[in-house]
Amino acid sequence: MARGTRSWAGIAILCFSPGGFAWQIAVTGPLEPIRPHTLPQPASRPTLRVDSSLVLIPVHVTAASGSPVVGLKKEDFALFQDGVPQTITHFTQDDAAVSAGVLLDISGSMKNKLGRASAAAEAFFQSASPQDEFFLVEFNGRAKLKIPFTRDWSRITAEIAHAKASGFTAMLDAVQLAAEQMKHARNSRKALIILSDGGDNFSRRNLRQLRSTLIESDLQVYVLGVYDQDYSVRHSAEERRGPGLLDEVALDTGGREFPVASIDALPGIGRQLSRELRNQYVLGYSPNAMAADGKYHHVKLTLIPKDQGPLHTYYRRGYYAPQE
């Protein structure tokens, strides 16, 4: 995507983690039955765009428990670009359909984790709406589009359930392929869902190149992590670096990590991830000094203190300006 063409999107990465990261999910109490998610017809929702005079920043706010915080107003946020305060002129909170790409790691390191990866995907899809669409990319030493965009998510879960693990891991290349496929999405809200342990030892692209792609494409990364419990023995350096790699990508794009402590927690986590992808605040502003310089501009968002305890915000940390 050329710099200056502004649209926003999201990525979710489903992996596996023992916890210990900054973001944790607490699932307490009995789980309620999963019910299909329904949305209003697309005609009732405006299509959000960003041009040379308007910057849109999708924001998700959670409480300390990890549950979404709703009901905030424009006055509850403060925005800064390159350290300069900005006036928020656009503010919405909507429930939108999602175009999502599922990236499944079938490398050798996933041999004993594919069962949990399949359960995680099933939990996420149970909250899908009829307007959602999905595609599937599988990767080991090579990334391949297995199923193009479809609204029949059962095709994807069936493919994942029968996947076999072997070979090296080219996760960053798979993200690049999925970002290209996302150009065919029909919904304005987009996500990439990657089921992996995060290790990468065979990609042609590096993290710096991937970060540029994600920023220019306005893609958000969510990490749903379930890794091995002990990385001190019998793990390669790439596997040990996997959780940190995924965490870094998620933070850069305004997403966050969802650690999975147990299989029993997956239904609740799947519903929470689904809610976060659809229910976001969208803040828009016209920069006080918009320069068509093609450069990256840093964005900082803060919450005006409220009597709701500590709140966490997840948002894109910047954007590329248009270039003449």
Side-chain angles (χ1 to χ4, degrees):
M1 182 180 293
R3 296 180 181 178
T5 302
R6 306 301 300 160
S7 63
W8 67 272
I11 299 180
I13 297 183
L14 282 82
C15 314
F16 305 107
S17 169
F21 287 88
W23 303 306
Q24 301 289 332
I25 295 176
V27 180
T28 59
L31 296 175
E32 60 189 41
I34 296 175
R35 297 180 176 85
H37 187 76
T38 58
L39 296 171
Q41 293 301 312
S44 65
R45 299 190 311 275
T47 299
L48 301 178
R49 299 181 183 275
V50 180
D51 57 27
S52 59
S53 63
L54 180 66
V55 178
L56 293 179
I57 304 294
V59 182
H60 188 77
V61 183
T62 67
S65 65
S67 59
V69 175
V70 299
L72 297 178
K73 298 179 174 56
K74 179 174 67 175
E75 294 75 19
D76 297 323
F77 297 87
L79 264 175
F80 303 84
Q81 177 176 306
D82 299 326
V84 179
Q86 304 294 320
T87 300
I88 300 174
T89 58
H90 175 96
F91 183 84
T92 62
Q93 183 182 14
D94 61 354
D95 187 347
V98 176
S99 293
V102 179
L103 283 71
L104 176 66
D105 185 348
I106 56 171
S107 66
S109 65
M110 288 289 292
K111 185 175 182 180
N112 298 321
K113 306 168 190 172
L114 284 178
R116 287 177 286 169
S118 178
E122 184 77 26
F124 170 78
F125 283 125
Q126 290 296 329
S127 297
S129 78
Q131 292 82 35
D132 292 340
E133 59 177 359
F134 308 94
F135 66 84
L136 175 65
V137 169
E138 290 184 352
F139 66 94
N140 44 25
R142 175 175 174 267
K144 180 180 180 181
L145 177 66
K146 293 289 291 186
I147 300 177
F149 268 120
T150 177
R151 290 180 175 171
D152 182 7
W153 55 262
S154 63
R155 292 178 55 196
I156 296 178
T157 56
E159 176 69 28
I160 294 174
H162 293 90
K164 304 297 183 182
S166 65
F168 294 101
T169 311
M171 186 187 71
L172 300 182
D173 288 351
V175 174
Q176 180 71 39
L177 174 62
E180 291 293 322
Q181 182 67 18
M182 192 58 73
K183 295 178 181 179
H184 305 293
R186 289 178 287 184
N187 296 321
S188 61
R189 185 160 296 174
K190 304 174 181 70
L192 294 180
I193 304 169
I194 304 177
L195 296 93
S196 171
D197 58 8
D200 192 306
N201 55 20
F202 212 70
S203 285
R204 293 174 296 169
R205 295 167 180 81
N206 57 39
L207 182 58
R208 179 183 58 80
Q209 294 168 325
L210 176 61
R211 182 183 290 115
S212 297
T213 296
L214 296 178
I215 291 173
E216 293 184 7
S217 303
D218 280 343
L219 298 176
Q220 286 178 286
V221 178
Y222 288 85
V223 178
L224 203 166
V226 183
Y227 306 104
D228 288 333
Q229 295 293 322
D230 184 4
Y231 278 86
S232 62
V233 294
R234 293 183 291 107
H235 287 86
S236 67
E238 291 83 6
E239 288 179 89
R240 291 194 298 270
R241 288 195 296 265
L245 173 64
L246 294 174
D247 186 51
E248 186 175 354
V249 173
L251 183 63
D252 280 348
T253 61
R256 67 185 184 109
E257 184 199 12
F258 288 82
V260 177
S262 68
I263 291 294
D264 293 339
L266 283 173
I269 293 174
R271 286 195 297 269
Q272 184 165 352
L273 174 58
S274 180
R275 287 196 301 267
E276 292 203 10
L277 289 175
R278 294 181 178 85
N279 293 280
Q280 295 182 339
Y281 298 95
V282 180
L283 281 61
Y285 68 97
S286 296
N288 296 336
M290 169 62 80
D293 54 13
K295 294 182 179 180
Y296 183 77
H297 294 274
H298 294 273
V299 173
K300 181 179 180 180
L301 181 144
T302 61
L303 282 172
I304 309 301
K306 297 176 68 66
D307 296 331
Q308 297 188 28
L311 302 180
H312 302 279
T313 58
Y314 306 93
Y315 61 94
R316 177 167 298 281
R317 295 316 201 246
Y319 70 97
Y320 281 106
Q323 188 170 18
E324 293 180 339

